Amino acid sequence: MAIGTAALILILSVYNGFDGIIAANMSDLDPDVLVMAAEGKRFPPDSLFSGPLASSPEVLSICEVLEDNVFLTYSGRQAIATMKGVGDEYESTSGLGNHIVEGEFALHLGDVPLACVGANLAYSNGIHPRFVDKMEIYYPKSDVPVSISNPARSLNTVRIRPGSLFSISSATDGDLMIVPIETARELTGCTDEVSAVEIRLAEGVSAKRFIRNLELPEGCVALDRYRQHPSLYKMMRYEKLAIFMILLFVVIIIAFNIFGSLSMLIIEKEKDIATLQAMGATQKMTSRIFLLEGWLVSLVGLVVGLAAGIGLALLQQHFGLVKMPGNYMISAYPVILKLSDVLWTVIGVSGIGLAIAAISVKSRN
């Protein structure tokens, strides 16, 4: 029981550590609050940049975003990419600079615009910030019908030099590139509307509370980080629940040792039980004695396992004793110990111990 309990604490803590790394990486790219149109692709953002929101001490920055799919060519290679045009605030407030693998994170070199390209998109198309070639980005003109004989006349084109490459996850690295919003506006011809507005909050400010008090433009919705990627965070929660249930099933198998030991103890103590009953003890009283003894055995294992699991988790969390094999961004297995995991482990293991003891006593009556 002690080994099973310690395994629950350790494995859940390691899973928390990997979840924390994923969430931290996503938070460097995603804002605390994302305001976007409930229907359609774009909306006028003027009301968000006026009034109390713009001067609120809870807000670090408000950044316009203009995002759309574009056609990209570079040195004869072609690709479909997601272009994200961002305002000047993005360079100073975004954590994307922590994930640069080539070049230096900047969207301007003086007055010259630069692009920050996802690593997988760059590698698959031979894009490198040290090269002098520029990327050519194409987007359909909204006011010109498509020309079959000369499709190029139906497209807006901009040429921009890649300044840096970033790597966060395969989902973003494969098609995303960040450009200044003026470049995105020039390409799309959209001067008055945006795809979204990113709001980054001061440390300690609750995004959910902020959203409840936020006055949104008509037809817009505000999303916190969990609602921006609901499938990702739901998958992470379900995976953790599945791991917890599998480990709890292992504890159930371990607990059957208590079932066997308690059953043998009841057989060995049959004469003592008869003596107690002769002295006036009821069947219910003797059953309670063995029930409590079996449960106490599991509780002792629970306490020992909690001490071992919490101790080892804290040692790994602060000193990184167990190293990860291979070359990764982290050298040791990440560990985050959560009180909720400890409480659920206590409830699960103690409940299993009580149930097994009860089944064992009932089967011998």
Side-chain angles (χ1 to χ4, degrees), residues 91-291:
E91 292 184 54
S92 58
T93 58
S94 169
L96 190 62
N98 300 325
H99 303 274
I100 299 300
V101 294
E102 292 284 349
E104 296 183 3
F105 179 53
L107 298 178
H108 295 87
L109 181 61
D111 295 331
V112 178
L114 301 175
C116 184
V117 186
N120 291 345
L121 175 63
Y123 297 152
S124 61
N125 291 277
I127 300 172
H128 200 284
R130 296 180 182 177
F131 297 163
V132 296
D133 292 346
K134 292 185 176 181
M135 299 183 298
E136 293 186 355
I137 308 174
Y138 300 89
Y139 187 82
K141 294 180 179 178
S142 58
D143 56 347
V144 177
V146 177
S147 173
I148 303 299
S149 59
N150 187 9
R153 294 177 55 190
S154 308
L155 302 174
N156 287 327
T157 307
V158 296
R159 301 178 75 243
I160 187 170
R161 180 176 174 271
S164 56
L165 310 182
F166 69 88
S167 178
I168 292 181
S169 67
S170 58
T172 57
D173 297 352
D175 64 353
L176 181 64
M177 63 177 177
I178 313 292
V179 301
I181 195 167
E182 59 267 21
T183 301
R185 291 195 185 283
E186 177 185 352
L187 182 66
T188 61
C190 182
T191 58
D192 300 324
E193 294 183 321
V194 296
S195 303
V197 173
E198 295 185 352
I199 302 174
R200 296 187 182 273
L201 303 176
E203 186 175 355
V205 177
S206 170
K208 291 184 178 180
R209 181 183 60 80
F210 181 84
I211 290 174
R212 285 197 299 267
N213 300 326
L214 181 62
E215 295 182 6
L216 294 172
E218 185 177 355
C220 292
V221 295
L223 309 176
D224 59 14
R225 285 195 176 121
Y226 293 96
R227 292 178 63 196
Q228 291 172 41
H229 301 283
S231 58
L232 172 64
Y233 288 104
K234 282 182 181 180
M235 181 188 69
M236 289 164 59
R237 287 198 296 268
Y238 292 155
E239 285 181 348
K240 184 176 180 180
L241 177 61
I243 290 173
F244 179 77
M245 297 304 296
I246 292 171
L247 293 174
L248 212 58
F249 182 74
V250 173
V251 173
I252 292 174
I253 297 174
I254 295 172
F256 273 100
N257 289 315
I258 298 176
F259 177 88
S261 300
L262 197 58
S263 298
M264 293 300 298
L265 181 63
I266 294 173
I267 294 173
E268 291 176 0
K269 299 296 183 180
E270 285 182 351
K271 293 183 179 179
D272 297 328
I273 294 172
T275 301
L276 289 173
Q277 290 177 344
M279 295 172 63
T282 63
Q283 180 70 30
K284 185 177 181 180
M285 181 183 296
T286 55
S287 296
R288 189 183 299 119
I289 292 172
F290 289 104
L291 174 64

Side-chain angles (χ1 to χ4, degrees), residues 1-2 4-6 8-9 12 241 243-256 258 295 298-299 301-303 306 339-357:
M1 294 294 285
T5 302
L8 268 168
I9 296 294
L12 290 177
L241 177 61
I243 290 173
F244 179 77
M245 297 304 296
I246 292 171
L247 293 174
L248 212 58
F249 182 74
V250 173
V251 173
I252 292 174
I253 297 174
I254 295 172
F256 273 100
I258 298 176
W295 194 29
S298 65
L299 291 180
L302 171 63
V303 171
L306 283 177
L339 178 61
S340 58
D341 294 338
V342 176
L343 293 178
W344 281 113
T345 299
V346 169
I347 294 171
V349 175
S350 61
I352 289 171
L354 179 61
I356 292 297

Side-chain angles (χ1 to χ4, degrees), residues 303-337:
V303 171
V304 174
L306 283 177
I310 293 173
L312 291 172
L314 290 175
L315 286 173
Q316 179 67 16
Q317 184 173 338
H318 290 91
F319 301 105
L321 301 179
V322 182
K323 306 298 182 182
M324 289 190 65
N327 297 320
Y328 293 96
M329 59 183 293
I330 51 175
S331 58
Y333 281 97
V335 169
I336 298 177
L337 184 63

